[in-house]
Amino acid sequence: MSYLDNVLLGLETALSWYNLLWCFVGVFLGTLLGVIPGIGVLAAISMLFPLTFQLEPTAALIMLAGIWYGTSYGGNTASILLNVPGSPSNAITCLDGYPMTKQGRGGIALLMTTVASFVGGSVGIILLMAFAGTISAYALNFSSAEYFSLMLLGLVAASNISNGSIVKSLIMVALGVLFGLVGSDIYTGARRFDFGVLDLADGINLIALAMGLFGVSEVIASIGKVNGKDVDPKSVSLSAMKPTRDDMRRSWMPMVRGSSIGSFFGTLPGTGPSIAAFMAYAIEKRVAKQPERFGKGAIEGIMAPESANNAADQTSFIPTLALGIPGSATMALMLGALMIHGIAPGPQLMTEQPSLFWGLVMSFWIGNVLLVILNVPLIGVWVRLLMVPYNWLFPAVLMFICIGTYSVNNSAFDVLLVMAFGGLGYALRVLGFPPAPMLLGFVLGPMMEEHFRRAMLLSRGDFATFIDRPISAVVLGFTLLILLWGFKPMLMRKRSTSA
Amino acid sequence: MSDRSYPDIIAGVIIAVFGTIVAVYAATHYNIGTVRRMGPGMFPTALGVIIGVLGVLLTLTAALRMIPAERIPEINWRAAVLVLTSVVLFSVLINTAGLFPAVIAVVATSAYADKGATVKTTVILSAILSVLAFLIFKFALGMNFKLMEWPF
C-alpha cells in the first residue's frame, strides 16, 4: 500500500463518527484534568482508562491518546494563571506565564500557548508519520537479544534523566520489575510471589498500580497546597486575548526551535515532554538577545516550552508504536492499554493493523485541531474550574479512582491494591523516590524477562549473544555510557570529599 | 548541603534487606533452572540481588555524603490516613453494601483530609457525587453495580 492510501485509510478510520466522538471526549477530559492542578497525565489516563473498556480498541486508543496530549494543552492554564503547573511538563511555563498574568496579559499567554501547542503537536505528528514506518520495517529483523537490550536502555535512560539520584530511580525501576513478576510465569505457569492469594494469581493489576502511585499519592500530596483563589475571569475574556504584533513577531522562532527540540527529546527513551520543555526554555534563554527579559513575562519563555512538550507528546509514540518499547511511564501506560485491548504492540502493528495505526495517527491531527477550537472559546470555562476549591475536587477524584478501578474487574481487591500503592507511593515521594520509573519497570519487566529467557534459549546459554549481535551491542554500549554518566556526579564528589 | 541524609540511609538499609529476602525466597521456593533453560526462579533471584546491591549503594552514598541531603518534605499525616482509609472503606463496602454507601464513605471520609471541611459541605458533596456516580457509571455506562443493600 502506498503512503497516500495509508493516510486515506487513517483519515477514514479517524473521521468515522464513532472514533470522532471518542477523540473529542478524550481531548475534552484530558484538557479538563490537565487544568486541575495536582493531576498529572498519568493520573488522568489511569482515572479515565476504565471508561475505554467498552470501546473498540481503535476508539479506546484514540481516546487515551487524546487525554495524553489534551493534558498538555490544559496544563498551561494553571501555570499561567495561578503559578501552579497543571502537570509537570508545564512547570517551566510558570516562569514567564505567571508574570504575564500579573501584567494583565494572561489572556494573551493562554491564546498564544494554544497556538504553540498546536504547532509543536503538528511537527511531532509529521515526524511520526515520516519515521514510524521506516523504524518498524527495520525492527522486523530484531530478535529477542535486541529487544532485551533496547528495553534495558529505556529503563536505564528513564532512571538517569529524572532529577534526583540515579540510585533511587534504579531502585524504583527494580521494584517495578519485581511487582511485574507477581503472578504466573509465562514459560512454566509456576505461580510467583502470590503467597497463596487467589486475587494475585494473574498478577498485579496495572490500573490499580497506576491509580495508587499517581492518583492517590498525588491527591495526598496536593491536599492543603493547591488553592484556586484569586483568578480574575475578566483577564481572559476574548477581547483581552488579542496578541500584539510584537507578540506574534517574537513567537515564530521560539515555536520552531521548541518544536524541533521537543520532537528530538520525545523519541529518546526516558526523556519525554518535561525534559523537552525544560531544554527548550534553556536554549531559548541562551539564544535570546535580551536574556534578562526571561522570568519577567517574556513571551518566548512560554512559546518554546509549550511547543516542545506537545511535539514530544507526539514523537514519543514513535518507539512505542514502531517497536513496542515505551520510552516513558506514560507510554508504558499506553502500551498496557494496548495489551489489555488485545493488541500486540511492535513492528507488526503497522502492517497487521494498518487501520488502527493510521487511524490513531490521523486522529492526532483531528484531536489537535479540536483542542484549538475547544480551548480558545472555552478558556473562560477552564478558568472557572480553577476557581472551584480543591477540597471539593479531590473527594471527587478519589471517588472516580475507586469506582474506576473496581469496574475494571469488578474486584474489591484491586481497590485495596490502590490503597497499598497509594500509601507506598506517598511514602516513596516523601523520601524523594520518583514514582514514574516504577511504572516503566512494571510494564517492561515481564517483557524483558521473556526476551532474556528466549535469547538465552536461542543462544544455548551463551551470554555473548547480547554483544555478538551488532545492534544489541551498540544499544548496550549506550546503556553503559548513560549509566556511567549518571553515576559521574557521585564518583566526582567522592573524589573531592576524600581529597 | 545539610547533614547526612538519615532517611536515605534508613531507606537504603530497608531496601537492601528487602532485596536479600526476595533473592533468598525466590531461590529457595522456585526452580532456578539452567542458564540455557531458565526456571521461574532465576530472574527473580537475580532481581533480588540487584535490589539488594542498589540498597547498599544508596546507604553508602548517603552515609558518605556523596549526595547533598535533600530536605524531606513534611508528611501530611492527616491527609494520608484519611485518604487511605476512605479507599479501604470503599473496597469493603462496594460488594457488601453497594454503590451509594461506598461512594458516601469515600467522599465523606476523604473530605475531612482538608482542614476546612464542615458537616454541611460534606453532606452536600456526598449527595452530589452519589448522583454523579449513578448517572455516569450505572446509567450512562451501564456498569453492573448493586446500588444499595443491607449486609446484615
Side-chain angles (χ1 to χ4, degrees), chain A residues 294-341:
Chain A
F294 279 75
K296 293 172 193 149
I299 196 158
E300 297 94 320
I302 57 173
M303 300 306 278
E306 285 300 320
S307 45
N309 66 29
N310 281 72
D313 280 350
Q314 305 295 352
T315 55
S316 61
F317 276 99
I318 294 176
T320 314
L321 290 176
L323 300 174
I325 301 176
S328 67
T330 318
M331 283 296 122
L333 206 54
M334 291 294 293
L335 200 71
L338 270 166
M339 293 191 287
I340 288 175
H341 280 284

mmCIF file of all heavy atoms in Angstrom, chain A residues 294-341:
data_model
loop_
_atom_site.group_PDB
_atom_site.id
_atom_site.type_symbol
_atom_site.label_atom_id
_atom_site.label_comp_id
_atom_site.label_asym_id
_atom_site.label_seq_id
_atom_site.Cartn_x
_atom_site.Cartn_y
_atom_site.Cartn_z
ATOM 1 N N PHE A 294 13.731 37.263 30.439
ATOM 2 C CA PHE A 294 13.133 35.982 30.831
ATOM 3 C C PHE A 294 12.825 35.956 32.325
ATOM 4 O O PHE A 294 13.574 36.479 33.130
ATOM 5 C CB PHE A 294 14.078 34.832 30.464
ATOM 6 C CG PHE A 294 13.977 34.450 29.022
ATOM 7 C CD1 PHE A 294 14.548 35.250 28.056
ATOM 8 C CD2 PHE A 294 13.286 33.316 28.631
ATOM 9 C CE1 PHE A 294 14.448 34.929 26.711
ATOM 10 C CE2 PHE A 294 13.184 32.989 27.288
ATOM 11 C CZ PHE A 294 13.762 33.792 26.330
ATOM 12 N N GLY A 295 11.706 35.324 32.651
ATOM 13 C CA GLY A 295 11.286 35.263 34.048
ATOM 14 C C GLY A 295 10.456 36.469 34.439
ATOM 15 O O GLY A 295 9.938 36.541 35.544
ATOM 16 N N LYS A 296 10.339 37.437 33.509
ATOM 17 C CA LYS A 296 9.553 38.637 33.818
ATOM 18 C C LYS A 296 8.395 38.786 32.848
ATOM 19 O O LYS A 296 7.848 39.875 32.687
ATOM 20 C CB LYS A 296 10.452 39.878 33.732
ATOM 21 C CG LYS A 296 11.512 39.898 34.811
ATOM 22 C CD LYS A 296 12.489 41.031 34.578
ATOM 23 C CE LYS A 296 13.713 40.868 35.456
ATOM 24 N NZ LYS A 296 14.912 41.417 34.810
ATOM 25 N N GLY A 297 8.042 37.696 32.170
ATOM 26 C CA GLY A 297 6.909 37.773 31.255
ATOM 27 C C GLY A 297 7.315 37.811 29.798
ATOM 28 O O GLY A 297 6.609 38.388 28.977
ATOM 29 N N ALA A 298 8.442 37.194 29.442
ATOM 30 C CA ALA A 298 8.853 37.129 28.042
ATOM 31 C C ALA A 298 7.998 36.090 27.329
ATOM 32 O O ALA A 298 7.899 34.949 27.784
ATOM 33 C CB ALA A 298 10.325 36.766 27.942
ATOM 34 N N ILE A 299 7.410 36.481 26.200
ATOM 35 C CA ILE A 299 6.512 35.540 25.510
ATOM 36 C C ILE A 299 7.301 34.363 24.944
ATOM 37 O O ILE A 299 6.786 33.236 24.863
ATOM 38 C CB ILE A 299 5.684 36.271 24.426
ATOM 39 C CG1 ILE A 299 4.511 35.385 24.007
ATOM 40 C CG2 ILE A 299 6.541 36.680 23.244
ATOM 41 C CD1 ILE A 299 3.373 36.123 23.392
ATOM 42 N N GLU A 300 8.575 34.585 24.598
ATOM 43 C CA GLU A 300 9.409 33.478 24.109
ATOM 44 C C GLU A 300 9.479 32.363 25.153
ATOM 45 O O GLU A 300 9.566 31.191 24.814
ATOM 46 C CB GLU A 300 10.845 33.959 23.817
ATOM 47 C CG GLU A 300 10.968 35.009 22.728
ATOM 48 C CD GLU A 300 10.963 36.424 23.296
ATOM 49 O OE1 GLU A 300 10.176 36.665 24.246
ATOM 50 O OE2 GLU A 300 11.720 37.274 22.811
ATOM 51 N N GLY A 301 9.472 32.760 26.415
ATOM 52 C CA GLY A 301 9.630 31.802 27.503
ATOM 53 C C GLY A 301 8.423 30.912 27.727
ATOM 54 O O GLY A 301 8.496 29.944 28.482
ATOM 55 N N ILE A 302 7.284 31.246 27.102
ATOM 56 C CA ILE A 302 6.161 30.311 27.180
ATOM 57 C C ILE A 302 5.961 29.587 25.856
ATOM 58 O O ILE A 302 5.493 28.463 25.829
ATOM 59 C CB ILE A 302 4.839 30.989 27.614
ATOM 60 C CG1 ILE A 302 4.460 32.131 26.677
ATOM 61 C CG2 ILE A 302 4.953 31.495 29.054
ATOM 62 C CD1 ILE A 302 3.087 32.709 26.976
ATOM 63 N N MET A 303 6.343 30.244 24.739
ATOM 64 C CA MET A 303 6.100 29.626 23.435
ATOM 65 C C MET A 303 6.997 28.417 23.214
ATOM 66 O O MET A 303 6.539 27.373 22.736
ATOM 67 C CB MET A 303 6.336 30.647 22.309
ATOM 68 C CG MET A 303 5.447 31.862 22.370
ATOM 69 S SD MET A 303 3.707 31.441 22.442
ATOM 70 C CE MET A 303 3.362 31.157 20.709
ATOM 71 N N ALA A 304 8.275 28.555 23.547
ATOM 72 C CA ALA A 304 9.215 27.460 23.273
ATOM 73 C C ALA A 304 8.859 26.205 24.078
ATOM 74 O O ALA A 304 8.689 25.128 23.500
ATOM 75 C CB ALA A 304 10.644 27.913 23.545
ATOM 76 N N PRO A 305 8.700 26.299 25.401
ATOM 77 C CA PRO A 305 8.394 25.058 26.137
ATOM 78 C C PRO A 305 7.041 24.445 25.777
ATOM 79 O O PRO A 305 6.912 23.224 25.723
ATOM 80 C CB PRO A 305 8.425 25.473 27.611
ATOM 81 C CG PRO A 305 8.545 26.927 27.657
ATOM 82 C CD PRO A 305 8.998 27.410 26.319
ATOM 83 N N GLU A 306 6.045 25.289 25.509
ATOM 84 C CA GLU A 306 4.729 24.714 25.195
ATOM 85 C C GLU A 306 4.723 24.029 23.839
ATOM 86 O O GLU A 306 4.030 23.029 23.649
ATOM 87 C CB GLU A 306 3.628 25.781 25.271
ATOM 88 C CG GLU A 306 3.256 26.172 26.694
ATOM 89 C CD GLU A 306 2.734 25.002 27.519
ATOM 90 O OE1 GLU A 306 1.981 24.170 26.985
ATOM 91 O OE2 GLU A 306 3.093 24.916 28.711
ATOM 92 N N SER A 307 5.487 24.558 22.864
ATOM 93 C CA SER A 307 5.553 23.826 21.595
ATOM 94 C C SER A 307 6.405 22.576 21.773
ATOM 95 O O SER A 307 6.115 21.540 21.179
ATOM 96 C CB SER A 307 6.070 24.703 20.451
ATOM 97 O OG SER A 307 7.190 25.441 20.837
ATOM 98 N N ALA A 308 7.423 22.660 22.623
ATOM 99 C CA ALA A 308 8.295 21.498 22.832
ATOM 100 C C ALA A 308 7.545 20.351 23.499
ATOM 101 O O ALA A 308 7.643 19.201 23.067
ATOM 102 C CB ALA A 308 9.505 21.890 23.679
ATOM 103 N N ASN A 309 6.757 20.629 24.546
ATOM 104 C CA ASN A 309 6.131 19.489 25.224
ATOM 105 C C ASN A 309 5.078 18.813 24.350
ATOM 106 O O ASN A 309 4.902 17.605 24.407
ATOM 107 C CB ASN A 309 5.641 19.836 26.640
ATOM 108 C CG ASN A 309 4.509 20.821 26.705
ATOM 109 O OD1 ASN A 309 3.689 20.907 25.800
ATOM 110 N ND2 ASN A 309 4.448 21.579 27.790
ATOM 111 N N ASN A 310 4.413 19.599 23.504
ATOM 112 C CA ASN A 310 3.431 18.955 22.630
ATOM 113 C C ASN A 310 4.079 18.174 21.493
ATOM 114 O O ASN A 310 3.578 17.125 21.093
ATOM 115 C CB ASN A 310 2.452 19.984 22.075
ATOM 116 C CG ASN A 310 1.399 20.321 23.109
ATOM 117 O OD1 ASN A 310 1.687 20.998 24.085
ATOM 118 N ND2 ASN A 310 0.205 19.813 22.927
ATOM 119 N N ALA A 311 5.213 18.696 20.986
ATOM 120 C CA ALA A 311 5.938 17.936 19.956
ATOM 121 C C ALA A 311 6.425 16.616 20.551
ATOM 122 O O ALA A 311 6.310 15.554 19.935
ATOM 123 C CB ALA A 311 7.115 18.754 19.427
ATOM 124 N N ALA A 312 6.938 16.679 21.781
ATOM 125 C CA ALA A 312 7.445 15.472 22.435
ATOM 126 C C ALA A 312 6.318 14.474 22.701
ATOM 127 O O ALA A 312 6.499 13.271 22.560
ATOM 128 C CB ALA A 312 8.149 15.832 23.743
ATOM 129 N N ASP A 313 5.146 14.988 23.083
ATOM 130 C CA ASP A 313 3.994 14.101 23.282
ATOM 131 C C ASP A 313 3.767 13.238 22.052
ATOM 132 O O ASP A 313 3.492 12.038 22.154
ATOM 133 C CB ASP A 313 2.709 14.926 23.507
ATOM 134 C CG ASP A 313 2.597 15.442 24.923
ATOM 135 O OD1 ASP A 313 3.398 15.013 25.771
ATOM 136 O OD2 ASP A 313 1.707 16.264 25.183
ATOM 137 N N GLN A 314 3.847 13.852 20.876
ATOM 138 C CA GLN A 314 3.540 13.116 19.652
ATOM 139 C C GLN A 314 4.678 12.201 19.236
ATOM 140 O O GLN A 314 4.450 11.053 18.885
ATOM 141 C CB GLN A 314 3.200 14.087 18.506
ATOM 142 C CG GLN A 314 2.075 15.068 18.819
ATOM 143 C CD GLN A 314 0.726 14.397 19.043
ATOM 144 O OE1 GLN A 314 0.565 13.194 18.832
ATOM 145 N NE2 GLN A 314 -0.248 15.150 19.500
ATOM 146 N N THR A 315 5.923 12.697 19.283
ATOM 147 C CA THR A 315 7.012 11.842 18.795
ATOM 148 C C THR A 315 7.316 10.691 19.760
ATOM 149 O O THR A 315 7.916 9.712 19.354
ATOM 150 C CB THR A 315 8.314 12.633 18.537
ATOM 151 O OG1 THR A 315 8.667 13.338 19.725
ATOM 152 C CG2 THR A 315 8.145 13.606 17.397
ATOM 153 N N SER A 316 6.878 10.806 21.025
ATOM 154 C CA SER A 316 7.146 9.688 21.932
ATOM 155 C C SER A 316 6.348 8.451 21.522
ATOM 156 O O SER A 316 6.612 7.351 21.992
ATOM 157 C CB SER A 316 6.828 10.079 23.373
ATOM 158 O OG SER A 316 5.474 10.408 23.511
ATOM 159 N N PHE A 317 5.385 8.627 20.617
ATOM 160 C CA PHE A 317 4.667 7.464 20.100
ATOM 161 C C PHE A 317 5.529 6.668 19.123
ATOM 162 O O PHE A 317 5.205 5.526 18.804
ATOM 163 C CB PHE A 317 3.387 7.893 19.374
ATOM 164 C CG PHE A 317 2.227 8.111 20.300
ATOM 165 C CD1 PHE A 317 1.878 9.386 20.704
ATOM 166 C CD2 PHE A 317 1.481 7.046 20.764
ATOM 167 C CE1 PHE A 317 0.806 9.586 21.556
ATOM 168 C CE2 PHE A 317 0.417 7.237 21.609
ATOM 169 C CZ PHE A 317 0.074 8.515 22.010
ATOM 170 N N ILE A 318 6.605 7.268 18.602
ATOM 171 C CA ILE A 318 7.391 6.568 17.578
ATOM 172 C C ILE A 318 7.977 5.262 18.124
ATOM 173 O O ILE A 318 7.670 4.195 17.586
ATOM 174 C CB ILE A 318 8.482 7.492 16.966
ATOM 175 C CG1 ILE A 318 7.807 8.623 16.184
ATOM 176 C CG2 ILE A 318 9.416 6.702 16.057
ATOM 177 C CD1 ILE A 318 8.764 9.651 15.609
ATOM 178 N N PRO A 319 8.790 5.290 19.197
ATOM 179 C CA PRO A 319 9.288 3.991 19.695
ATOM 180 C C PRO A 319 8.179 3.084 20.223
ATOM 181 O O PRO A 319 8.259 1.860 20.080
ATOM 182 C CB PRO A 319 10.270 4.376 20.811
ATOM 183 C CG PRO A 319 9.982 5.784 21.142
ATOM 184 C CD PRO A 319 9.366 6.415 19.933
ATOM 185 N N THR A 320 7.146 3.689 20.818
ATOM 186 C CA THR A 320 6.085 2.867 21.395
ATOM 187 C C THR A 320 5.337 2.103 20.318
ATOM 188 O O THR A 320 5.116 0.897 20.436
ATOM 189 C CB THR A 320 5.091 3.750 22.169
ATOM 190 O OG1 THR A 320 5.817 4.651 22.983
ATOM 191 C CG2 THR A 320 4.168 2.909 23.021
ATOM 192 N N LEU A 321 4.953 2.799 19.244
ATOM 193 C CA LEU A 321 4.163 2.142 18.209
ATOM 194 C C LEU A 321 5.037 1.325 17.262
ATOM 195 O O LEU A 321 4.643 0.253 16.820
ATOM 196 C CB LEU A 321 3.358 3.177 17.419
ATOM 197 C CG LEU A 321 2.211 3.850 18.179
ATOM 198 C CD1 LEU A 321 1.569 4.916 17.328
ATOM 199 C CD2 LEU A 321 1.163 2.821 18.604
ATOM 200 N N ALA A 322 6.238 1.823 16.947
ATOM 201 C CA ALA A 322 7.050 1.143 15.945
ATOM 202 C C ALA A 322 7.794 -0.056 16.529
ATOM 203 O O ALA A 322 8.014 -1.035 15.837
ATOM 204 C CB ALA A 322 8.047 2.121 15.309
ATOM 205 N N LEU A 323 8.214 0.041 17.795
ATOM 206 C CA LEU A 323 8.996 -1.053 18.385
ATOM 207 C C LEU A 323 8.232 -1.789 19.477
ATOM 208 O O LEU A 323 8.598 -2.891 19.855
ATOM 209 C CB LEU A 323 10.290 -0.504 18.995
ATOM 210 C CG LEU A 323 11.257 0.212 18.074
ATOM 211 C CD1 LEU A 323 12.394 0.806 18.880
ATOM 212 C CD2 LEU A 323 11.797 -0.755 17.037
ATOM 213 N N GLY A 324 7.200 -1.173 20.013
ATOM 214 C CA GLY A 324 6.528 -1.771 21.160
ATOM 215 C C GLY A 324 7.311 -1.562 22.438
ATOM 216 O O GLY A 324 7.105 -2.267 23.419
ATOM 217 N N ILE A 325 8.236 -0.593 22.427
ATOM 218 C CA ILE A 325 9.029 -0.312 23.620
ATOM 219 C C ILE A 325 8.742 1.110 24.081
ATOM 220 O O ILE A 325 9.108 2.064 23.401
ATOM 221 C CB ILE A 325 10.526 -0.479 23.342
ATOM 222 C CG1 ILE A 325 10.803 -1.909 22.882
ATOM 223 C CG2 ILE A 325 11.337 -0.146 24.582
ATOM 224 C CD1 ILE A 325 12.219 -2.142 22.499
ATOM 225 N N PRO A 326 8.068 1.268 25.217
ATOM 226 C CA PRO A 326 7.744 2.612 25.669
ATOM 227 C C PRO A 326 8.968 3.305 26.251
ATOM 228 O O PRO A 326 9.770 2.686 26.931
ATOM 229 C CB PRO A 326 6.698 2.374 26.760
ATOM 230 C CG PRO A 326 7.008 1.024 27.285
ATOM 231 C CD PRO A 326 7.602 0.241 26.149
ATOM 232 N N GLY A 327 9.112 4.590 25.938
ATOM 233 C CA GLY A 327 10.265 5.320 26.442
ATOM 234 C C GLY A 327 9.994 6.055 27.739
ATOM 235 O O GLY A 327 10.889 6.547 28.386
ATOM 236 N N SER A 328 8.718 6.146 28.122
ATOM 237 C CA SER A 328 8.399 6.875 29.347
ATOM 238 C C SER A 328 7.267 6.161 30.066
ATOM 239 O O SER A 328 6.627 5.268 29.505
ATOM 240 C CB SER A 328 7.978 8.302 29.014
ATOM 241 O OG SER A 328 6.749 8.276 28.317
ATOM 242 N N ALA A 329 7.027 6.584 31.300
ATOM 243 C CA ALA A 329 5.987 5.942 32.092
ATOM 244 C C ALA A 329 4.612 6.088 31.439
ATOM 245 O O ALA A 329 3.813 5.153 31.428
ATOM 246 C CB ALA A 329 5.971 6.531 33.493
ATOM 247 N N THR A 330 4.356 7.261 30.865
ATOM 248 C CA THR A 330 3.059 7.458 30.216
ATOM 249 C C THR A 330 2.878 6.510 29.041
ATOM 250 O O THR A 330 1.823 5.924 28.843
ATOM 251 C CB THR A 330 2.931 8.897 29.698
ATOM 252 O OG1 THR A 330 3.458 9.766 30.682
ATOM 253 C CG2 THR A 330 1.508 9.238 29.416
ATOM 254 N N MET A 331 3.966 6.372 28.249
ATOM 255 C CA MET A 331 3.883 5.471 27.110
ATOM 256 C C MET A 331 3.751 4.022 27.588
ATOM 257 O O MET A 331 3.122 3.204 26.924
ATOM 258 C CB MET A 331 5.108 5.651 26.214
ATOM 259 C CG MET A 331 5.031 6.894 25.349
ATOM 260 S SD MET A 331 3.666 6.812 24.167
ATOM 261 C CE MET A 331 2.764 8.260 24.619
ATOM 262 N N ALA A 332 4.341 3.713 28.737
ATOM 263 C CA ALA A 332 4.182 2.368 29.298
ATOM 264 C C ALA A 332 2.715 2.106 29.602
ATOM 265 O O ALA A 332 2.193 1.016 29.367
ATOM 266 C CB ALA A 332 5.023 2.215 30.564
ATOM 267 N N LEU A 333 2.040 3.136 30.103
ATOM 268 C CA LEU A 333 0.622 3.002 30.398
ATOM 269 C C LEU A 333 -0.178 2.814 29.102
ATOM 270 O O LEU A 333 -1.098 2.003 29.031
ATOM 271 C CB LEU A 333 0.149 4.259 31.142
ATOM 272 C CG LEU A 333 -1.057 4.136 32.048
ATOM 273 C CD1 LEU A 333 -0.882 3.026 33.052
ATOM 274 C CD2 LEU A 333 -1.296 5.455 32.761
ATOM 275 N N MET A 334 0.218 3.551 28.059
ATOM 276 C CA MET A 334 -0.457 3.394 26.762
ATOM 277 C C MET A 334 -0.240 1.971 26.235
ATOM 278 O O MET A 334 -1.142 1.355 25.678
ATOM 279 C CB MET A 334 0.113 4.393 25.741
ATOM 280 C CG MET A 334 -0.214 5.840 25.997
ATOM 281 S SD MET A 334 -1.965 6.238 25.835
ATOM 282 C CE MET A 334 -2.216 5.999 24.096
ATOM 283 N N LEU A 335 0.973 1.485 26.404
ATOM 284 C CA LEU A 335 1.289 0.132 25.954
ATOM 285 C C LEU A 335 0.457 -0.895 26.720
ATOM 286 O O LEU A 335 -0.067 -1.845 26.144
ATOM 287 C CB LEU A 335 2.779 -0.133 26.183
ATOM 288 C CG LEU A 335 3.372 -1.264 25.370
ATOM 289 C CD1 LEU A 335 3.468 -0.848 23.928
ATOM 290 C CD2 LEU A 335 4.748 -1.611 25.902
ATOM 291 N N GLY A 336 0.331 -0.665 28.032
ATOM 292 C CA GLY A 336 -0.517 -1.537 28.841
ATOM 293 C C GLY A 336 -1.948 -1.509 28.333
ATOM 294 O O GLY A 336 -2.614 -2.547 28.266
ATOM 295 N N ALA A 337 -2.398 -0.323 27.928
ATOM 296 C CA ALA A 337 -3.751 -0.194 27.398
ATOM 297 C C ALA A 337 -3.901 -1.010 26.128
ATOM 298 O O ALA A 337 -4.884 -1.729 25.941
ATOM 299 C CB ALA A 337 -4.057 1.281 27.120
ATOM 300 N N LEU A 338 -2.897 -0.930 25.248
ATOM 301 C CA LEU A 338 -2.908 -1.721 24.015
ATOM 302 C C LEU A 338 -3.064 -3.199 24.323
ATOM 303 O O LEU A 338 -3.882 -3.903 23.741
ATOM 304 C CB LEU A 338 -1.588 -1.525 23.276
ATOM 305 C CG LEU A 338 -1.463 -0.392 22.268
ATOM 306 C CD1 LEU A 338 -0.003 -0.174 21.917
ATOM 307 C CD2 LEU A 338 -2.230 -0.740 21.015
ATOM 308 N N MET A 339 -2.251 -3.667 25.294
ATOM 309 C CA MET A 339 -2.244 -5.099 25.576
ATOM 310 C C MET A 339 -3.563 -5.544 26.204
ATOM 311 O O MET A 339 -4.054 -6.625 25.908
ATOM 312 C CB MET A 339 -1.051 -5.444 26.465
ATOM 313 C CG MET A 339 0.252 -5.226 25.720
ATOM 314 S SD MET A 339 1.718 -5.893 26.525
ATOM 315 C CE MET A 339 1.943 -4.775 27.862
ATOM 316 N N ILE A 340 -4.142 -4.685 27.065
ATOM 317 C CA ILE A 340 -5.419 -5.035 27.682
ATOM 318 C C ILE A 340 -6.505 -5.127 26.606
ATOM 319 O O ILE A 340 -7.416 -5.941 26.684
ATOM 320 C CB ILE A 340 -5.778 -4.020 28.783
ATOM 321 C CG1 ILE A 340 -4.847 -4.245 29.982
ATOM 322 C CG2 ILE A 340 -7.234 -4.159 29.216
ATOM 323 C CD1 ILE A 340 -4.989 -3.257 31.096
ATOM 324 N N HIS A 341 -6.363 -4.312 25.565
ATOM 325 C CA HIS A 341 -7.323 -4.388 24.477
ATOM 326 C C HIS A 341 -6.972 -5.479 23.470
ATOM 327 O O HIS A 341 -7.560 -5.548 22.381
ATOM 328 C CB HIS A 341 -7.440 -3.037 23.769
ATOM 329 C CG HIS A 341 -8.309 -2.060 24.504
ATOM 330 N ND1 HIS A 341 -9.670 -2.132 24.513
ATOM 331 C CD2 HIS A 341 -7.994 -1.011 25.294
ATOM 332 C CE1 HIS A 341 -10.168 -1.166 25.265
ATOM 333 N NE2 HIS A 341 -9.170 -0.464 25.754
#
